[in-house]
Short mmCIF file of all heavy atoms in Angstrom, two decimals:
data_model
loop_
_atom_site.label_atom_id
_atom_site.label_comp_id
_atom_site.label_asym_id
_atom_site.label_seq_id
_atom_site.Cartn_x
_atom_site.Cartn_y
_atom_site.Cartn_z
N MET X 245 110.16 65.14 137.49
CA MET X 245 109.79 66.08 136.41
C MET X 245 109.13 65.34 135.24
O MET X 245 109.58 64.29 134.84
CB MET X 245 111.04 66.77 135.88
CG MET X 245 111.36 68.09 136.55
SD MET X 245 112.79 68.82 135.76
CE MET X 245 112.17 70.40 135.29
N SER X 246 108.06 65.90 134.73
CA SER X 246 107.38 65.32 133.57
C SER X 246 108.28 65.39 132.34
O SER X 246 109.08 66.30 132.19
CB SER X 246 106.09 66.11 133.32
OG SER X 246 105.71 66.00 131.98
N SER X 247 108.11 64.44 131.44
CA SER X 247 108.91 64.44 130.21
C SER X 247 108.52 65.58 129.29
O SER X 247 109.22 65.87 128.32
CB SER X 247 108.74 63.11 129.49
OG SER X 247 107.39 62.93 129.15
N LEU X 248 107.38 66.23 129.57
CA LEU X 248 106.99 67.37 128.75
C LEU X 248 107.77 68.62 129.11
O LEU X 248 107.76 69.60 128.38
CB LEU X 248 105.48 67.66 128.94
CG LEU X 248 104.53 66.58 128.47
CD1 LEU X 248 103.11 66.91 128.90
CD2 LEU X 248 104.60 66.45 126.95
N ASN X 249 108.42 68.58 130.27
CA ASN X 249 109.14 69.77 130.72
C ASN X 249 110.32 70.05 129.82
O ASN X 249 110.96 69.14 129.30
CB ASN X 249 109.61 69.58 132.16
CG ASN X 249 108.44 69.49 133.13
OD1 ASN X 249 107.31 69.76 132.75
ND2 ASN X 249 108.73 69.11 134.34
N LYS X 250 110.61 71.34 129.66
CA LYS X 250 111.71 71.76 128.80
C LYS X 250 112.71 72.55 129.61
O LYS X 250 112.35 73.19 130.61
CB LYS X 250 111.19 72.67 127.68
CG LYS X 250 110.08 72.07 126.84
CD LYS X 250 110.63 71.12 125.82
CE LYS X 250 109.55 70.69 124.86
NZ LYS X 250 109.81 69.39 124.28
N LYS X 251 113.96 72.54 129.14
CA LYS X 251 114.93 73.43 129.75
C LYS X 251 115.77 74.10 128.70
O LYS X 251 116.04 73.53 127.63
CB LYS X 251 115.79 72.73 130.80
CG LYS X 251 116.48 71.48 130.39
CD LYS X 251 117.19 70.90 131.61
CE LYS X 251 117.91 69.62 131.25
NZ LYS X 251 118.68 69.09 132.39
N TYR X 252 116.15 75.31 129.02
CA TYR X 252 116.87 76.17 128.08
C TYR X 252 118.00 76.85 128.86
O TYR X 252 117.76 77.38 129.94
CB TYR X 252 115.95 77.26 127.50
CG TYR X 252 114.67 76.71 126.92
CD1 TYR X 252 113.53 76.57 127.71
CD2 TYR X 252 114.58 76.33 125.58
CE1 TYR X 252 112.35 76.06 127.19
CE2 TYR X 252 113.40 75.81 125.05
CZ TYR X 252 112.29 75.68 125.86
OH TYR X 252 111.12 75.18 125.35
N SER X 253 119.21 76.87 128.29
CA SER X 253 120.34 77.40 129.04
C SER X 253 121.10 78.46 128.27
O SER X 253 121.14 78.45 127.04
CB SER X 253 121.33 76.27 129.36
OG SER X 253 120.76 75.31 130.20
N ASN X 254 121.70 79.38 129.02
CA ASN X 254 122.77 80.20 128.47
C ASN X 254 124.01 79.92 129.32
O ASN X 254 124.04 78.92 130.05
CB ASN X 254 122.36 81.68 128.40
CG ASN X 254 122.13 82.29 129.78
OD1 ASN X 254 122.50 81.72 130.80
ND2 ASN X 254 121.49 83.46 129.80
N ASN X 255 124.99 80.81 129.29
CA ASN X 255 126.21 80.54 130.05
C ASN X 255 126.01 80.65 131.55
O ASN X 255 126.79 80.11 132.32
CB ASN X 255 127.32 81.51 129.63
CG ASN X 255 127.85 81.18 128.25
OD1 ASN X 255 127.78 80.03 127.80
ND2 ASN X 255 128.37 82.19 127.56
N ASP X 256 124.95 81.37 131.98
CA ASP X 256 124.78 81.68 133.39
C ASP X 256 123.72 80.85 134.09
O ASP X 256 123.86 80.50 135.26
CB ASP X 256 124.38 83.16 133.56
CG ASP X 256 125.37 84.10 132.92
OD1 ASP X 256 126.58 83.85 133.06
OD2 ASP X 256 124.92 85.07 132.28
N ILE X 257 122.62 80.61 133.37
CA ILE X 257 121.44 80.02 134.03
C ILE X 257 120.80 78.94 133.14
O ILE X 257 121.02 78.90 131.93
CB ILE X 257 120.36 81.08 134.35
CG1 ILE X 257 119.92 81.81 133.08
CG2 ILE X 257 120.81 82.04 135.41
CD1 ILE X 257 118.73 82.74 133.28
N THR X 258 119.99 78.11 133.78
CA THR X 258 119.10 77.20 133.06
C THR X 258 117.67 77.56 133.44
O THR X 258 117.36 77.69 134.63
CB THR X 258 119.37 75.73 133.44
OG1 THR X 258 120.71 75.41 133.06
CG2 THR X 258 118.42 74.78 132.71
N VAL X 259 116.84 77.77 132.42
CA VAL X 259 115.42 78.07 132.63
C VAL X 259 114.63 76.79 132.38
O VAL X 259 114.87 76.08 131.40
CB VAL X 259 114.96 79.19 131.66
CG1 VAL X 259 113.43 79.30 131.65
CG2 VAL X 259 115.59 80.52 132.05
N PHE X 260 113.70 76.51 133.29
CA PHE X 260 112.83 75.33 133.17
C PHE X 260 111.41 75.80 132.87
O PHE X 260 110.95 76.79 133.43
CB PHE X 260 112.82 74.54 134.49
CG PHE X 260 114.19 74.10 134.92
CD1 PHE X 260 114.94 74.89 135.79
CD2 PHE X 260 114.72 72.91 134.45
CE1 PHE X 260 116.22 74.49 136.18
CE2 PHE X 260 116.00 72.51 134.84
CZ PHE X 260 116.75 73.30 135.71
N TRP X 261 110.75 75.08 131.99
CA TRP X 261 109.34 75.38 131.68
C TRP X 261 108.51 74.12 131.86
O TRP X 261 108.80 73.09 131.25
CB TRP X 261 109.20 75.91 130.26
CG TRP X 261 107.80 76.29 129.91
CD1 TRP X 261 107.03 77.21 130.56
CD2 TRP X 261 107.00 75.77 128.84
NE1 TRP X 261 105.79 77.29 129.95
CE2 TRP X 261 105.74 76.42 128.90
CE3 TRP X 261 107.21 74.82 127.86
CZ2 TRP X 261 104.71 76.14 128.00
CZ3 TRP X 261 106.19 74.55 126.96
CH2 TRP X 261 104.96 75.21 127.04
N GLN X 262 107.49 74.22 132.70
CA GLN X 262 106.60 73.09 132.96
C GLN X 262 105.24 73.41 132.31
O GLN X 262 104.43 74.14 132.89
CB GLN X 262 106.43 72.90 134.47
CG GLN X 262 107.75 72.59 135.18
CD GLN X 262 107.58 72.52 136.68
OE1 GLN X 262 106.99 71.57 137.19
NE2 GLN X 262 108.07 73.52 137.39
N PRO X 263 105.00 72.87 131.11
CA PRO X 263 103.80 73.26 130.36
C PRO X 263 102.50 72.98 131.08
O PRO X 263 101.52 73.71 130.89
CB PRO X 263 103.91 72.46 129.06
CG PRO X 263 104.96 71.43 129.28
CD PRO X 263 105.86 71.94 130.36
N GLU X 264 102.47 71.96 131.92
CA GLU X 264 101.19 71.65 132.59
C GLU X 264 100.82 72.73 133.61
O GLU X 264 99.68 72.82 134.03
CB GLU X 264 101.22 70.26 133.24
CG GLU X 264 102.07 70.11 134.48
CD GLU X 264 103.54 69.86 134.20
OE1 GLU X 264 104.00 70.00 133.05
OE2 GLU X 264 104.25 69.51 135.16
N LYS X 265 101.80 73.54 134.00
CA LYS X 265 101.51 74.63 134.95
C LYS X 265 101.19 75.94 134.24
O LYS X 265 100.64 76.86 134.84
CB LYS X 265 102.73 74.88 135.86
CG LYS X 265 102.93 73.85 136.92
CD LYS X 265 104.00 74.36 137.89
CE LYS X 265 104.31 73.35 138.97
NZ LYS X 265 105.41 73.83 139.84
N CYS X 266 101.54 76.04 132.97
CA CYS X 266 101.43 77.31 132.24
C CYS X 266 99.96 77.65 132.03
O CYS X 266 99.18 76.83 131.54
CB CYS X 266 102.14 77.20 130.90
SG CYS X 266 102.05 78.70 129.91
N ILE X 267 99.58 78.86 132.40
CA ILE X 267 98.20 79.32 132.22
C ILE X 267 98.09 80.22 130.99
O ILE X 267 97.07 80.87 130.78
CB ILE X 267 97.67 80.04 133.47
CG1 ILE X 267 98.58 81.23 133.84
CG2 ILE X 267 97.55 79.07 134.64
CD1 ILE X 267 98.01 82.10 134.96
N HIS X 268 99.14 80.28 130.20
CA HIS X 268 99.15 81.00 128.92
C HIS X 268 98.69 82.45 129.08
O HIS X 268 97.93 82.96 128.27
CB HIS X 268 98.32 80.24 127.88
CG HIS X 268 98.79 78.82 127.70
ND1 HIS X 268 99.98 78.51 127.07
CD2 HIS X 268 98.28 77.66 128.16
CE1 HIS X 268 100.15 77.19 127.12
NE2 HIS X 268 99.16 76.66 127.77
N SER X 269 99.19 83.05 130.13
CA SER X 269 98.87 84.46 130.36
C SER X 269 99.64 85.36 129.39
O SER X 269 99.30 86.52 129.23
CB SER X 269 99.24 84.84 131.79
OG SER X 269 100.64 84.74 131.95
N ALA X 270 100.70 84.80 128.79
CA ALA X 270 101.57 85.54 127.86
C ALA X 270 102.29 86.69 128.54
O ALA X 270 102.81 87.58 127.88
CB ALA X 270 100.80 86.03 126.64
N LYS X 271 102.33 86.65 129.86
CA LYS X 271 103.06 87.71 130.57
C LYS X 271 104.54 87.70 130.19
O LYS X 271 105.16 88.74 130.02
CB LYS X 271 102.89 87.49 132.08
CG LYS X 271 103.15 88.73 132.88
CD LYS X 271 102.77 88.54 134.33
CE LYS X 271 103.21 89.79 135.11
NZ LYS X 271 103.11 89.60 136.55
N CYS X 272 105.09 86.51 130.05
CA CYS X 272 106.50 86.40 129.67
C CYS X 272 106.73 86.99 128.28
O CYS X 272 107.72 87.69 128.05
CB CYS X 272 106.96 84.95 129.73
SG CYS X 272 105.90 83.80 128.82
N ALA X 273 105.82 86.74 127.35
CA ALA X 273 105.97 87.26 125.99
C ALA X 273 105.87 88.78 125.99
O ALA X 273 106.65 89.46 125.30
CB ALA X 273 104.91 86.66 125.08
N ARG X 274 104.94 89.31 126.77
CA ARG X 274 104.81 90.77 126.83
C ARG X 274 106.04 91.40 127.46
O ARG X 274 106.44 92.50 127.11
CB ARG X 274 103.56 91.17 127.62
CG ARG X 274 102.29 91.05 126.81
CD ARG X 274 101.16 91.85 127.44
NE ARG X 274 100.86 91.40 128.80
CZ ARG X 274 100.07 90.36 129.08
NH1 ARG X 274 99.48 89.70 128.11
NH2 ARG X 274 99.85 90.01 130.32
N SER X 275 106.66 90.68 128.38
CA SER X 275 107.82 91.21 129.08
C SER X 275 109.08 91.14 128.22
O SER X 275 109.90 92.06 128.24
CB SER X 275 108.01 90.42 130.37
OG SER X 275 109.26 90.66 130.94
N LEU X 276 109.24 90.05 127.45
CA LEU X 276 110.51 89.82 126.75
C LEU X 276 110.26 88.95 125.51
O LEU X 276 110.66 87.79 125.46
CB LEU X 276 111.47 89.13 127.73
CG LEU X 276 112.97 89.20 127.47
CD1 LEU X 276 113.47 90.65 127.44
CD2 LEU X 276 113.74 88.44 128.54
N ILE X 277 109.62 89.54 124.52
CA ILE X 277 109.17 88.79 123.35
C ILE X 277 110.34 88.20 122.54
O ILE X 277 110.20 87.15 121.91
CB ILE X 277 108.26 89.66 122.44
CG1 ILE X 277 107.62 88.86 121.32
CG2 ILE X 277 109.03 90.85 121.88
CD1 ILE X 277 106.61 87.85 121.75
N GLN X 278 111.50 88.85 122.61
CA GLN X 278 112.65 88.32 121.86
C GLN X 278 113.05 86.94 122.37
O GLN X 278 113.55 86.11 121.62
CB GLN X 278 113.89 89.23 121.96
CG GLN X 278 113.69 90.70 121.92
CD GLN X 278 113.42 91.27 123.31
OE1 GLN X 278 112.30 91.22 123.77
NE2 GLN X 278 114.44 91.82 123.96
N VAL X 279 112.85 86.73 123.68
CA VAL X 279 113.25 85.46 124.30
C VAL X 279 112.07 84.49 124.38
O VAL X 279 112.18 83.33 124.01
CB VAL X 279 113.84 85.70 125.71
CG1 VAL X 279 114.12 84.36 126.41
CG2 VAL X 279 115.11 86.53 125.61
N PHE X 280 110.91 85.00 124.86
CA PHE X 280 109.74 84.14 125.09
C PHE X 280 108.68 84.45 124.04
O PHE X 280 107.88 85.37 124.21
CB PHE X 280 109.17 84.38 126.49
CG PHE X 280 110.15 84.08 127.60
CD1 PHE X 280 110.89 85.10 128.19
CD2 PHE X 280 110.35 82.78 128.04
CE1 PHE X 280 111.79 84.83 129.22
CE2 PHE X 280 111.25 82.50 129.06
CZ PHE X 280 111.98 83.53 129.64
N ASN X 281 108.70 83.67 122.96
CA ASN X 281 107.75 83.91 121.86
C ASN X 281 106.98 82.61 121.57
O ASN X 281 107.50 81.71 120.91
CB ASN X 281 108.49 84.38 120.62
CG ASN X 281 107.55 84.75 119.50
OD1 ASN X 281 106.37 84.36 119.52
ND2 ASN X 281 108.05 85.48 118.52
N PRO X 282 105.73 82.52 122.06
CA PRO X 282 104.97 81.27 121.91
C PRO X 282 104.66 80.91 120.46
O PRO X 282 104.27 79.78 120.19
CB PRO X 282 103.69 81.53 122.69
CG PRO X 282 103.78 82.90 123.25
CD PRO X 282 105.02 83.56 122.78
N ARG X 283 104.82 81.84 119.54
CA ARG X 283 104.53 81.55 118.12
C ARG X 283 105.74 80.96 117.41
O ARG X 283 105.69 80.71 116.21
CB ARG X 283 104.08 82.82 117.40
CG ARG X 283 102.81 83.38 117.96
CD ARG X 283 102.35 84.60 117.19
NE ARG X 283 101.23 85.25 117.83
CZ ARG X 283 99.96 84.87 117.70
NH1 ARG X 283 99.66 83.84 116.93
NH2 ARG X 283 99.00 85.50 118.33
N ARG X 284 106.84 80.81 118.12
CA ARG X 284 108.07 80.35 117.49
C ARG X 284 108.46 79.00 118.09
O ARG X 284 108.11 78.70 119.22
CB ARG X 284 109.15 81.41 117.78
CG ARG X 284 110.52 81.17 117.19
CD ARG X 284 111.49 82.22 117.72
NE ARG X 284 111.53 82.20 119.20
CZ ARG X 284 111.94 83.23 119.93
NH1 ARG X 284 112.35 84.34 119.39
NH2 ARG X 284 111.94 83.12 121.25
N ARG X 285 109.17 78.20 117.37
CA ARG X 285 109.75 76.95 117.88
C ARG X 285 111.24 76.98 117.64
O ARG X 285 111.64 77.15 116.48
CB ARG X 285 109.14 75.73 117.20
CG ARG X 285 107.67 75.51 117.54
CD ARG X 285 107.46 75.13 119.02
NE ARG X 285 106.06 74.98 119.37
CZ ARG X 285 105.25 75.98 119.77
NH1 ARG X 285 105.74 77.22 119.89
NH2 ARG X 285 104.00 75.76 120.06
N PRO X 286 112.09 76.83 118.66
CA PRO X 286 111.66 76.73 120.05
C PRO X 286 111.11 78.07 120.54
O PRO X 286 111.54 79.12 120.05
CB PRO X 286 112.95 76.38 120.79
CG PRO X 286 114.04 76.96 119.95
CD PRO X 286 113.56 76.83 118.53
N TRP X 287 110.19 78.01 121.47
CA TRP X 287 109.56 79.27 121.88
C TRP X 287 110.44 80.09 122.81
O TRP X 287 110.21 81.28 122.95
CB TRP X 287 108.17 79.01 122.47
CG TRP X 287 108.11 78.58 123.90
CD1 TRP X 287 108.35 77.34 124.40
CD2 TRP X 287 107.77 79.41 125.02
NE1 TRP X 287 108.19 77.34 125.76
CE2 TRP X 287 107.82 78.60 126.16
CE3 TRP X 287 107.41 80.76 125.15
CZ2 TRP X 287 107.55 79.09 127.43
CZ3 TRP X 287 107.13 81.24 126.43
CH2 TRP X 287 107.21 80.41 127.55
N VAL X 288 111.47 79.45 123.41
CA VAL X 288 112.43 80.18 124.25
C VAL X 288 113.80 80.18 123.56
O VAL X 288 114.34 79.12 123.25
CB VAL X 288 112.56 79.53 125.65
CG1 VAL X 288 113.58 80.29 126.49
CG2 VAL X 288 111.21 79.49 126.35
N VAL X 289 114.32 81.38 123.29
CA VAL X 289 115.65 81.52 122.71
C VAL X 289 116.50 82.38 123.65
O VAL X 289 116.38 83.61 123.67
CB VAL X 289 115.60 82.14 121.29
CG1 VAL X 289 117.01 82.32 120.74
CG2 VAL X 289 114.79 81.24 120.36
N MET X 290 117.31 81.69 124.44
CA MET X 290 118.06 82.36 125.51
C MET X 290 119.05 83.40 124.99
O MET X 290 119.35 84.38 125.66
CB MET X 290 118.81 81.31 126.33
CG MET X 290 117.93 80.30 127.02
SD MET X 290 117.03 81.00 128.41
CE MET X 290 118.33 81.06 129.66
N GLU X 291 119.56 83.17 123.81
CA GLU X 291 120.58 84.06 123.25
C GLU X 291 120.03 85.45 122.96
O GLU X 291 120.80 86.40 122.75
CB GLU X 291 121.16 83.48 121.96
CG GLU X 291 121.97 82.20 122.12
CD GLU X 291 121.10 80.97 122.38
OE1 GLU X 291 119.91 80.99 122.02
OE2 GLU X 291 121.61 80.02 122.98
N ASN X 292 118.71 85.58 122.92
CA ASN X 292 118.11 86.84 122.51
C ASN X 292 117.89 87.84 123.63
O ASN X 292 117.31 88.91 123.41
CB ASN X 292 116.77 86.59 121.80
CG ASN X 292 116.95 85.97 120.44
OD1 ASN X 292 118.07 85.80 119.97
ND2 ASN X 292 115.86 85.61 119.79
N GLY X 293 118.32 87.50 124.85
CA GLY X 293 118.12 88.43 125.96
C GLY X 293 119.24 88.31 126.98
O GLY X 293 119.99 87.34 126.98
N SER X 294 119.32 89.32 127.86
CA SER X 294 120.33 89.27 128.92
C SER X 294 119.86 88.36 130.04
O SER X 294 118.65 88.18 130.25
CB SER X 294 120.58 90.67 129.47
OG SER X 294 119.47 91.11 130.22
N THR X 295 120.81 87.80 130.76
CA THR X 295 120.47 86.95 131.90
C THR X 295 119.59 87.71 132.89
O THR X 295 118.60 87.19 133.40
CB THR X 295 121.76 86.45 132.59
OG1 THR X 295 122.44 85.59 131.67
CG2 THR X 295 121.45 85.68 133.87
N GLU X 296 119.93 88.97 133.13
CA GLU X 296 119.17 89.79 134.08
C GLU X 296 117.71 89.92 133.65
O GLU X 296 116.79 89.74 134.47
CB GLU X 296 119.83 91.17 134.16
CG GLU X 296 119.29 92.05 135.24
CD GLU X 296 119.97 93.41 135.23
OE1 GLU X 296 120.83 93.68 134.36
OE2 GLU X 296 119.61 94.23 136.08
N ASP X 297 117.49 90.21 132.38
CA ASP X 297 116.11 90.37 131.89
C ASP X 297 115.36 89.04 131.94
O ASP X 297 114.17 89.00 132.25
CB ASP X 297 116.11 90.90 130.45
CG ASP X 297 116.48 92.37 130.38
OD1 ASP X 297 116.48 93.03 131.44
OD2 ASP X 297 116.79 92.84 129.27
N ILE X 298 116.04 87.96 131.61
CA ILE X 298 115.40 86.64 131.62
C ILE X 298 115.01 86.26 133.05
O ILE X 298 113.89 85.81 133.30
CB ILE X 298 116.32 85.57 131.00
CG1 ILE X 298 116.47 85.84 129.49
CG2 ILE X 298 115.78 84.17 131.24
CD1 ILE X 298 117.55 85.01 128.81
N VAL X 299 115.92 86.48 134.00
CA VAL X 299 115.62 86.16 135.40
C VAL X 299 114.41 86.94 135.87
O VAL X 299 113.50 86.41 136.52
CB VAL X 299 116.86 86.45 136.29
CG1 VAL X 299 116.47 86.48 137.77
CG2 VAL X 299 117.93 85.40 136.05
N GLN X 300 114.38 88.23 135.54
CA GLN X 300 113.26 89.07 135.98
C GLN X 300 111.94 88.55 135.40
O GLN X 300 110.92 88.47 136.10
CB GLN X 300 113.51 90.51 135.53
CG GLN X 300 112.57 91.49 136.18
CD GLN X 300 113.01 92.91 135.94
OE1 GLN X 300 113.49 93.24 134.86
NE2 GLN X 300 112.83 93.76 136.92
N THR X 301 111.95 88.19 134.13
CA THR X 301 110.73 87.69 133.49
C THR X 301 110.30 86.36 134.10
O THR X 301 109.12 86.15 134.38
CB THR X 301 110.98 87.53 131.97
OG1 THR X 301 111.30 88.80 131.43
CG2 THR X 301 109.74 86.98 131.27
N VAL X 302 111.25 85.48 134.33
CA VAL X 302 110.93 84.18 134.93
C VAL X 302 110.32 84.37 136.32
O VAL X 302 109.33 83.71 136.69
CB VAL X 302 112.19 83.29 134.99
CG1 VAL X 302 111.98 82.08 135.88
CG2 VAL X 302 112.59 82.85 133.59
N GLN X 303 110.88 85.30 137.08
CA GLN X 303 110.38 85.53 138.44
C GLN X 303 108.97 86.11 138.44
O GLN X 303 108.26 86.02 139.43
CB GLN X 303 111.34 86.45 139.21
CG GLN X 303 112.62 85.71 139.58
CD GLN X 303 113.64 86.60 140.26
OE1 GLN X 303 113.69 87.80 139.99
NE2 GLN X 303 114.46 86.02 141.11
N ASN X 304 108.56 86.71 137.34
CA ASN X 304 107.22 87.30 137.25
C ASN X 304 106.18 86.37 136.64
O ASN X 304 105.02 86.75 136.47
CB ASN X 304 107.27 88.60 136.43
CG ASN X 304 107.89 89.72 137.25
OD1 ASN X 304 107.72 89.77 138.45
ND2 ASN X 304 108.60 90.61 136.59
N CYS X 305 106.57 85.15 136.31
CA CYS X 305 105.60 84.18 135.77
C CYS X 305 104.55 83.88 136.84
O CYS X 305 104.90 83.44 137.94
CB CYS X 305 106.33 82.90 135.37
SG CYS X 305 105.21 81.55 134.92
N PRO X 306 103.28 84.13 136.57
CA PRO X 306 102.26 84.02 137.62
C PRO X 306 101.93 82.59 138.05
O PRO X 306 101.40 82.38 139.13
CB PRO X 306 101.03 84.69 136.98
CG PRO X 306 101.24 84.56 135.51
CD PRO X 306 102.72 84.60 135.29
N SER X 307 102.24 81.61 137.22
CA SER X 307 101.83 80.23 137.51
C SER X 307 102.95 79.38 138.10
O SER X 307 102.69 78.28 138.57
CB SER X 307 101.36 79.57 136.22
OG SER X 307 102.47 79.38 135.36
N GLY X 308 104.17 79.86 138.01
CA GLY X 308 105.30 79.03 138.41
C GLY X 308 105.74 78.07 137.32
O GLY X 308 106.57 77.20 137.56
N ALA X 309 105.17 78.21 136.12
CA ALA X 309 105.58 77.33 135.02
C ALA X 309 107.04 77.56 134.65
O ALA X 309 107.73 76.63 134.22
CB ALA X 309 104.69 77.57 133.80
N LEU X 310 107.47 78.80 134.77
CA LEU X 310 108.87 79.12 134.51
C LEU X 310 109.64 79.16 135.83
O LEU X 310 109.16 79.75 136.81
CB LEU X 310 109.00 80.48 133.82
CG LEU X 310 108.56 80.56 132.35
CD1 LEU X 310 108.55 82.03 131.90
CD2 LEU X 310 109.46 79.73 131.44
N SER X 311 110.80 78.57 135.84
CA SER X 311 111.71 78.67 136.98
C SER X 311 113.12 78.65 136.43
O SER X 311 113.33 78.40 135.23
CB SER X 311 111.48 77.51 137.96
OG SER X 311 111.69 76.28 137.31
N PHE X 312 114.09 78.92 137.28
CA PHE X 312 115.46 78.93 136.78
C PHE X 312 116.41 78.55 137.90
O PHE X 312 116.06 78.60 139.08
CB PHE X 312 115.84 80.29 136.20
CG PHE X 312 116.19 81.31 137.26
CD1 PHE X 312 117.51 81.60 137.55
CD2 PHE X 312 115.18 81.96 137.95
CE1 PHE X 312 117.84 82.51 138.53
CE2 PHE X 312 115.49 82.89 138.94
CZ PHE X 312 116.82 83.17 139.23
N GLU X 313 117.61 78.17 137.50
CA GLU X 313 118.68 78.04 138.48
C GLU X 313 119.98 78.51 137.85
O GLU X 313 120.17 78.43 136.63
CB GLU X 313 118.81 76.60 138.99
CG GLU X 313 119.20 75.57 137.99
CD GLU X 313 119.18 74.15 138.58
OE1 GLU X 313 118.40 73.90 139.53
OE2 GLU X 313 119.94 73.31 138.07
N TYR X 314 120.84 79.07 138.72
CA TYR X 314 122.15 79.49 138.25
C TYR X 314 123.03 78.27 138.04
O TYR X 314 122.96 77.31 138.80
CB TYR X 314 122.82 80.42 139.27
CG TYR X 314 122.22 81.81 139.27
CD1 TYR X 314 121.31 82.21 140.25
CD2 TYR X 314 122.55 82.72 138.25
CE1 TYR X 314 120.75 83.48 140.23
CE2 TYR X 314 121.99 83.98 138.24
CZ TYR X 314 121.09 84.36 139.22
OH TYR X 314 120.54 85.61 139.18
N LYS X 315 123.84 78.34 137.00
CA LYS X 315 124.80 77.26 136.77
C LYS X 315 125.92 77.38 137.79
O LYS X 315 126.30 78.49 138.17
CB LYS X 315 125.39 77.36 135.37
CG LYS X 315 124.38 77.00 134.28
CD LYS X 315 125.11 76.99 132.95
CE LYS X 315 124.24 76.42 131.85
NZ LYS X 315 124.93 76.48 130.56
N SER X 316 126.44 76.26 138.25
CA SER X 316 127.53 76.32 139.21
C SER X 316 128.86 76.30 138.51
O SER X 316 128.95 75.98 137.35
CB SER X 316 127.42 75.16 140.20
OG SER X 316 127.28 73.96 139.49
S1 SF4 F 504 104.30 83.97 132.10
FE1 SF4 F 504 104.30 81.85 132.81
S2 SF4 F 504 102.15 81.24 132.83
FE2 SF4 F 504 102.32 83.06 131.53
S3 SF4 F 504 102.61 82.25 129.45
FE3 SF4 F 504 104.63 82.62 130.31
S4 SF4 F 504 105.20 80.64 131.17
FE4 SF4 F 504 103.00 80.57 130.87
#
């Protein structure tokens, strides 16, 4: 993994973001702006959305820049 990659966690999942893959479609922001807001730092705030909504948004990322795994 590149050192530019970021990860963000809540109690259930960890979301990974690989900026070199991101095509800046802003699909994630349109889907869940409270969590994925590119104008904010950090741009991902896991506390602002449900795990279900975050998973759905991550799965709809067109580039694969966003991915996630469940915590064990
Ligand atoms: S949906 Fe994926 S490709 Fe589009 S801006 Fe978000 S992270 Fe980047």
